[in-house]
Amino acid sequence: MTEPQATVVRRRVSAVWIVPVVAMLLGLWLVIDAYRRQGPEVRITFSTAEGIDEDATPVKVRNVEVGVVSKVALSDDLSAVVVTADLTADARGLLREDTRFWVVRPRVSRTGISGLGTIVSGAYIEIAPGIGDAADDYDFEGLDHEPPTPAGTPGLRVVLVSDSSGSLGVGDPVIYRGYSVGRVESSDLDVDSREVRYSVFIDSPYDRLVTSSTRFWNASGISAALSAEGATLSLASIDTLIAGGVAFDLPLSAVPGNPVGANEEFQLYADEASIDANPYRYGQQYVVSFYESVRGLNPGAPVTFRGIRIGSVERIMVREGTAEALDDGSDRPIPVLIRIEPGRFEMEDSRAGVQRLREALARAAQNGLRGVLESGNLLTGSLYVNFDFVDGVEPASVADFNGKPTLPTISGVFARLQQQVGQLLAKLNGLPLDQSVASANASIEALGTAAEALRDLLASDSVRELPEKLDDSLRRFDRTLAAYADDGGLPAQLTRTLEELDDTLQSVRAVAETLERDPNAVIFPTRPHPDPAPRAGRP
């Protein structure tokens, strides 16, 4: 028995299927190519759609068209306009987190005229490519004007703080010794601090000129000064004369300082003269309180240490102290806000210098440092605050007043004098003046009685005869002296007595000499012996 054998039958694919397969592959390739060529869709929010038209307004980078506006619509809250633009695939790499969009249209400002070409061609949207990370989504906030500094420009961005806006605007130049080295990028009003804040960009390599000792001032227009030497005019540059600007440099006799980081804050001074009057950047605010009148103590008044200026008065703290004293009727001192700068003590003009100043003043308060109001000018009545070490005071510590440190004070010379006068008057009021006056009246009456008795005594006959009796006594005394002055009087007798005394002394001298030669002469009288005759000798 034989097994069945399988038979393999080979069939060929019909050529008819080749056409649909090729068509399918071609369609897939076209879809992939179309997707690859299709660029991203971005949504840009502008404050207005002026000059923007659907399917007409182009999107450009450096005047190269990379897309077109496909839709213009209002935002949901009707506060802005959302512009949708279709970009080419090549523009995908331009979309970063810091990519910026703005509408280029004819614009006239004090810094110049721009966008004149759009008068003929129409407005268009410009892209400033970013350098950050790739954007997660394609929703962007459009700018109202061209950014002064392109993204990725090397340099330093700092913040200037001022009490008023002055004449500065976006795009104004930043000047260093007459040379333009940067620009003002933006200006904003801080509602909380009520300060105007400017963002300023300094191009590289000029950013190395900005240090911790650098000072910025408003260089807009022409500054004039009139002194005894004459009138002087100062002009930073022609650009600042027309459009305004900011200048910076080091104050006189200032050290270069240390490098600063991005977004460091600087004070914007009104003019160049102000930076020399206020050469220090860092300082510490303190509160000092006085019981006496502060009339004549004005903002800007000096704060000194033994006559050396160390800061200035900022303001009288009426809201924080005086109003409360009036509300509760208590006797409170008047707080005064001052600013002390470490640079004036030859300390480092930095935050580290401020910390060192705090520690030094805390130790000084323990050792008797006190503030006092002094008279700066007797004619104008101006006052200033002077600090010095006072003997005999209790150690004090740095306290806190409304979040600011305080320094201890004492009353001034005039206040202390008034206090002493008040104490003296109080003591006088406490004296028993009624009893004292009564005693004084009794003494005066007794003195009057004694005066009357003395007057009666002087009017008596015995007192009247006293001069005549005294005159008679003096005449008798004169006669007595004259009697002794005659030859037989007292002088002659004194002369004879002196002569006899002299003879007696001579006799005593002779006796003394005899006793000296022969002490036995007092007991055995001596006789003179004859001289012995010589005897003849034997032959």
Side-chain angles (χ1 to χ4, degrees):
M1 185 176 179
T2 60
E3 296 180 355
Q5 298 292 326
T7 302
V8 178
V9 179
R10 296 181 178 179
R11 295 183 179 180
R12 297 181 180 180
V13 178
S14 175
V16 177
W17 294 99
I18 296 176
V19 176
V21 170
V22 172
M24 182 181 64
L25 294 176
L26 182 61
L28 180 62
W29 179 83
L30 291 176
V31 170
I32 295 175
D33 183 69
Y35 177 79
R36 184 177 61 84
R37 291 179 177 274
Q38 182 180 6
E41 183 183 77
V42 297
R43 291 164 298 279
I44 313 165
T45 302
F46 291 104
S47 59
T48 178
E50 178 184 0
I52 301 177
D53 298 322
E54 293 183 0
D55 300 327
T57 302
V59 180
K60 298 182 179 180
V61 177
R62 299 183 184 274
N63 210 29
V64 175
E65 186 172 338
V66 294
V68 65
V69 173
S70 60
K71 182 179 180 182
V72 178
L74 292 172
S75 61
D76 294 338
D77 58 359
L78 306 180
S79 62
V81 175
V82 179
V83 175
T84 303
D86 295 330
L87 305 183
T88 62
D90 296 337
R92 190 182 300 274
L94 303 176
L95 302 179
R96 304 284 178 173
E97 291 181 348
D98 55 347
T99 297
R100 289 173 287 184
F101 297 80
W102 69 94
V103 179
V104 179
R105 55 173 69 94
R107 189 185 304 275
V108 179
S109 65
R110 61 181 184 177
T111 58
I113 302 175
S114 61
L116 290 179
T118 59
I119 297 177
V120 178
S121 61
Y124 63 90
I125 297 177
E126 180 76 15
I127 300 178
I131 59 174
D133 297 334
D136 296 333
D137 55 30
Y138 295 149
D139 291 332
F140 297 91
E141 292 288 336
L143 304 178
D144 293 333
H145 50 75
E146 178 183 2
T149 305
T153 302
L156 176 67
R157 184 172 285 105
V158 296
V159 177
L160 305 184
V161 180
S162 175
D163 294 333
S164 59
S165 62
S167 57
L168 294 180
V170 176
D172 288 349
V174 177
I175 307 298
Y176 178 79
R177 298 184 180 181
Y179 192 82
S180 180
V181 297
R183 66 207 60 85
V184 178
E185 293 186 316
S186 64
S187 63
D188 297 295
L189 175 62
D190 190 336
V191 178
D192 295 334
S193 63
R194 300 183 181 182
E195 295 175 333
V196 181
R197 306 174 70 86
Y198 299 95
S199 177
V200 173
F201 189 85
I202 312 296
D203 295 323
S204 179
Y206 313 112
D207 56 339
R208 296 198 299 268
L209 299 173
V210 181
T211 65
S212 58
S213 299
T214 300
R215 298 294 180 271
F216 292 81
W217 69 90
N218 192 334
S220 302
I222 300 176
S223 61
L226 182 63
S227 63
E229 299 178 355
T232 58
L233 297 177
S234 176
L235 174 63
S237 67
I238 298 298
D239 294 338
T240 59
L241 175 62
I242 299 174
V246 175
F248 70 92
D249 206 338
L250 295 176
L252 295 176
S253 304
V255 296
N258 302 320
V260 298
N263 297 320
E264 187 79 10
E265 291 189 3
F266 290 86
Q267 178 70 30
L268 179 62
Y269 292 92
D271 49 42
E272 185 176 4
S274 300
I275 70 169
D276 295 326
N278 303 277
Y280 302 104
R281 178 183 174 195
Y282 290 92
Q284 174 63 47
Q285 290 181 332
Y286 284 94
V287 176
V288 290
S289 300
F290 302 99
Y291 278 96
E292 60 262 41
S293 173
V294 294
R295 179 180 181 183
L297 186 65
N298 300 317
V303 176
T304 64
F305 172 72
R306 294 181 176 176
I308 301 174
R309 181 159 187 166
I310 59 175
S312 58
V313 175
E314 292 200 341
R315 66 182 180 89
I316 309 297
M317 304 178 69
V318 178
R319 296 192 307 272
E320 297 84 346
T322 309
E324 295 180 0
L326 293 177
D327 290 340
D328 55 22
S330 60
D331 183 15
R332 297 186 182 182
I334 300 176
V336 178
L337 183 64
I338 64 174
R339 173 185 170 90
I340 300 179
E341 297 158 333
R344 296 185 183 272
F345 288 97
E346 297 297 331
M347 298 180 182
E348 183 180 355
D349 187 22
S350 63
R351 293 186 177 89
V354 172
Q355 181 61 32
R356 181 183 172 190
L357 174 68
R358 293 174 184 168
E359 297 172 355
L361 289 180
R363 292 192 300 268
Q366 289 283 340
N367 296 329
L369 182 69
R370 298 293 184 270
V372 63
L373 282 180
E374 300 284 356
S375 176
N377 191 312
L378 294 177
L379 296 178
T380 62
S382 62
L383 300 176
Y384 67 96
V385 180
N386 182 52
F387 283 90
D388 204 344
F389 288 93
V390 180
D391 297 331
V393 296
E394 295 293 333
S397 60
V398 177
D400 179 84
F401 182 86
N402 280 15
K404 298 184 184 300
T406 64
L407 289 176
T409 61
I410 59 174
S411 300
V413 176
F414 293 105
R416 291 197 297 269
L417 180 60
Q418 292 177 356
Q419 185 178 4
Q420 293 174 358
V421 171
Q423 294 175 354
L424 177 60
L425 293 177
K427 292 181 179 180
L428 291 177
N429 291 330
L431 293 176
L433 295 181
D434 295 338
Q435 299 177 3
S436 300
V437 171
S439 299
N441 291 334
S443 300
I444 293 173
E445 291 178 358
L447 182 60
T449 303
E452 291 179 359
L454 180 61
R455 186 166 52 251
D456 294 341
L457 178 63
L458 294 176
S460 63
D461 295 338
S462 60
V463 174
R464 290 179 178 178
E465 293 175 356
L466 183 61
E468 296 179 358
K469 293 179 179 180
L470 182 60
D471 185 58
D472 184 58
S473 298
L474 290 176
R475 284 196 298 268
R476 291 177 182 181
F477 184 70
D478 289 339
R479 287 195 298 270
T480 301
L481 292 178
Y484 281 106
D486 294 340
D487 294 339
L490 181 61
Q493 294 178 4
L494 290 176
T495 301
R496 288 193 297 271
T497 301
L498 291 175
E499 290 177 353
E500 292 175 358
L501 181 61
D502 183 57
D503 295 340
T504 302
L505 290 176
Q506 290 180 0
S507 298
V508 172
R509 185 181 299 111
V511 173
E513 291 177 355
T514 301
L515 291 176
E516 185 178 0
R517 291 192 303 270
D518 188 6
N520 296 328
V522 177
I523 303 173
F524 305 100
T526 60
R527 292 188 180 96
H529 298 281
D531 294 333
R535 296 179 180 179
R538 293 180 179 179

